[in-house]
Amino acid sequence: MVRMETIQYTLPQSRIPLAWYNILPDLPKPLAPPLNPATLKPLGPEDLAPIFPMGLILQEVSTEREIEIPAEVRQIYAQWRPSPLVRARRLEKALDTPARIYYKYEGVSPAGSHKLNTAVAQAWYNKQEGIRHLSTETGAGQWGSALAMACAFLGMECRVFMVRVSYDQKPYRRALIEAFGASVVASPSDLTQSGRAILAEHPGSKGSLGIAISEAVEVAAKDPKTNYALGSVLNHVLLHQTVIGQEAIEQMSLAGDEPDVIIGCTGGGSNFSGLVMPYVGRKLKGKSHARIVAVEPAACPSLTKGRFTYDFGDTAHLTPLVKMHTLGSTFVPPGIHAGGLRYHGMAPLVSHILSLGLAEATTVQQLDAFSAGVQFARAEGIIPAPEANHAIAEAIRQALEAKAEGKPRTILFNLSGHGHFDMQAYIDYHAGKLQNYEYPEEEIAMALAGLPVVP
Ligand SMILES: *Cc1c(COP(=O)(O)O)cnc(C)c1O
């Protein structure tokens, strides 16, 4: 008889968290406030009211530690939550490492990623305030499909500006968004002033998240019946993701283990925050000693090479100024396949905890990310999203380091989504068509030279 080893640590539906965890009141130093770009004064709720519902604006600045999850949102979560925590035993064996590797798997959501955790919440709060139309952008297409699904669940309409490079590379993501009833427009488009301005200057523009955000915000700002929804970066988005880490803490205790290192990939910082913020809260109480590592692509290294300063969240400068690690709002990152990581900035909250020394950051090259993803798929049977491959590459690096030291190490990472709609990227990888991108130093220097001046 072979002894059964535990692979999955599952929780019953009743253990879906009752509240989101807001780290703001627990931080040793407050976040720098977002600024109105015209007055350079801290933003008031009324500045955001044209594009966001008050329910979410209040969450953005809330100092309550626990924010109750509405019953209807929690009921929708029950379709895929609690998500599994998996011990990657076959990967451990393949690496011949003394490290124990766990991953929290968010690809079980019907949209295929963690993004549905906030999409459902955002659509719900908008609906409470009578909004029936949402406008948004999507990079790789995961956020677009999550918001489209949430809108379908709640009987709302949705328009998605999809970054041109993904629109062309990922027709199935687009088809999925349309299947859920949303409309998709390639960005830059001629539907908005911001889009037309970019196209006039760069007719072949492949787009960027910064440009798509400008277009989606512009549409919402001009139409009182339409609000805007953002899939990452903002405090309320990161807040909604904290169900991930709260579940993980409970599941790690079922496993009788405590992480030594916790890893997430970072585009705008939401899946990373979802897993790590509840642990950072424990660190601040002396209950966790874990190293916390954010992993970003070498082609778009905002945390490791960006400046920690006030900048716009979008290219056309329609958003407030926020203090974050930024490569400059006009920087258009190389067309790597991890579309969800192609953002010039970072969540202010993630930048802040990095500056407080509560987390660290590292980079991974595109080919190393895919090689790690393929190794993971062969051991664990899951095709990861290209974004998540960055976290996997770092988890494997850590496991091999533990092996070299001959010491155990408990590694926990967020497997933020599956890659079933990203198979073209894997085809290109296997055909030898993917390349590494050097750090685009000159373009970043140019974009940084255009940073707004904030005294
Ligand atoms: C969007 C996305 C990311 C990057 O966004 P974050 O806000 O940094 O999490 C990472 N992984 C997947 C699967 C995504 O869909």
Side-chain angles (χ1 to χ4, degrees):
M1 262 277 284
V2 180
R3 194 174 62 86
M4 285 289 284
E5 290 179 322
T6 307
I7 299 288
Q8 285 211 25
Y9 297 90
T10 43
L11 296 173
Q13 194 173 299
S14 60
R15 299 305 302 163
I16 297 171
L18 290 162
W20 293 298
Y21 168 60
N22 177 16
I23 197 167
L24 292 183
D26 288 337
L27 289 173
K29 227 180 104 185
L31 268 184
L35 304 179
N36 179 318
T39 62
L40 297 183
K41 296 253 159 35
L43 222 57
E46 65 288 351
D47 290 309
L48 296 171
I51 59 169
F52 292 117
M54 207 39 78
L56 295 177
I57 295 173
L58 293 178
Q59 287 181 0
E60 195 60 25
V61 294
S62 172
T63 50
E64 302 273 312
R65 185 169 288 112
E66 295 195 335
I67 297 179
E68 194 185 328
I69 303 176
E72 193 182 355
V73 172
R74 208 165 161 261
Q75 182 63 56
I76 296 177
Y77 279 176
Q79 198 160 343
W80 72 97
R81 307 213 69 84
S83 68
L85 178 84
V86 184
R87 171 104 182 252
R89 290 191 186 264
R90 293 176 53 87
L91 180 64
E92 290 169 14
K93 289 195 183 92
L95 297 170
D96 187 28
T97 173
R100 293 186 293 276
I101 307 175
Y102 299 84
Y103 57 93
K104 181 76 169 152
Y105 186 37
E106 290 296 309
V108 294
S109 102
S113 79
H114 67 288
K115 296 232 170 58
L116 200 55
N117 298 328
T118 184
V120 170
Q122 290 190 48
W124 188 87
Y125 282 99
N126 273 288
K127 189 172 177 182
Q128 297 318 295
E129 296 179 30
I131 293 290
R132 285 291 178 274
H133 301 260
L134 291 178
S135 159
T136 197
E137 74 292 324
T138 196
Q142 284 121 331
W143 169 241
S145 35
L147 193 68
M149 179 178 291
C151 285
F153 283 3
L154 293 165
M156 300 167 72
E157 285 176 18
C158 181
R159 169 173 285 169
V160 181
F161 289 89
M162 187 168 189
V163 176
R164 167 60 75 180
V165 58
S166 298
Y167 185 92
D168 293 338
Q169 275 175 356
K170 300 183 176 176
Y172 297 121
R173 266 286 165 202
R174 180 182 143 205
L176 183 65
I177 299 171
E178 288 169 345
F180 290 133
S183 67
V184 184
V185 183
S187 165
S189 78
D190 57 9
L191 294 186
T192 65
Q193 233 169 353
S194 337
R196 287 190 294 270
I198 298 281
L199 286 174
E201 213 177 316
H202 309 281
S205 170
K206 285 184 183 309
S208 71
L209 271 172
I211 296 169
I213 292 174
S214 298
E215 294 206 270
V217 168
E218 186 182 321
V219 164
K222 284 186 175 158
D223 178 358
K225 292 200 201 103
T226 300
N227 266 352
Y228 168 69
L230 183 62
S232 187
V233 178
L234 297 175
N235 293 345
H236 69 265
V237 182
L238 275 45
L239 173 79
H240 299 153
Q241 296 296 352
T242 58
V243 287
I244 302 173
Q246 294 184 69
E247 290 173 4
I249 287 173
E250 206 171 321
Q251 288 163 312
M252 285 301 296
S253 97
L254 280 182
D257 219 340
E258 262 295 323
D260 297 310
V261 55
I262 308 174
I263 300 164
C265 65
T266 43
S270 76
N271 86 85
F272 171 77
S273 297
L275 178 64
V276 312
M277 290 307 171
Y279 276 104
V280 174
R282 279 163 76 88
K283 258 175 100 144
L284 291 167
K285 293 190 196 84
K287 286 204 232 157
S288 166
H289 59 273
R291 273 178 69 190
I292 293 180
V293 184
V295 191
E296 56 187 11
C300 189
S302 47
L303 282 171
T304 48
K305 295 271 173 74
R307 211 168 298 157
F308 185 34
T309 184
Y310 275 100
D311 196 6
F312 290 96
D314 73 321
T315 307
H317 299 174
L318 303 178
T319 69
L321 291 169
V322 292
K323 192 171 179 199
M324 61 179 174
H325 286 84
T326 178
L327 299 168
S329 62
T330 55
F331 173 61
V332 177
I336 54 167
H337 273 275
L341 305 184
R342 291 179 69 240
Y343 183 58
H344 69 272
M346 184 50 61
L349 190 51
V350 171
S351 289
H352 188 63
I353 67 159
L354 223 80
S355 77
L356 293 175
L358 292 165
E360 54 199 283
T362 186
T363 58
V364 168
Q365 278 283 8
Q366 172 153 267
L367 290 176
D368 297 329
F370 274 89
S371 140
V374 167
Q375 184 170 23
F376 181 83
R378 289 176 188 172
E380 298 290 316
I382 296 172
I383 292 279
E387 291 83 0
N389 285 343
H390 293 74
I392 295 172
E394 175 61 15
I396 291 177
R397 205 192 58 71
Q398 292 265 350
L400 293 176
E401 199 176 89
K403 178 178 172 178
E405 286 173 6
K407 286 199 200 131
R409 184 179 302 192
T410 300
I411 300 166
L412 167 63
F413 74 90
N414 202 2
L415 185 52
S416 49
H418 68 62
H420 297 173
F421 293 95
D422 302 290
M423 295 315 293
Q424 189 60 46
Y426 283 89
I427 293 173
D428 291 349
Y429 171 66
H430 281 122
K433 286 190 196 154
L434 293 195
Q435 58 177 99
N436 285 337
Y437 289 93
E438 281 320 308
Y439 163 59
E441 200 159 350
E442 270 175 37
E443 282 118 277
I444 291 174
M446 256 161 59
L448 285 175
L451 280 174
V453 180
V454 178

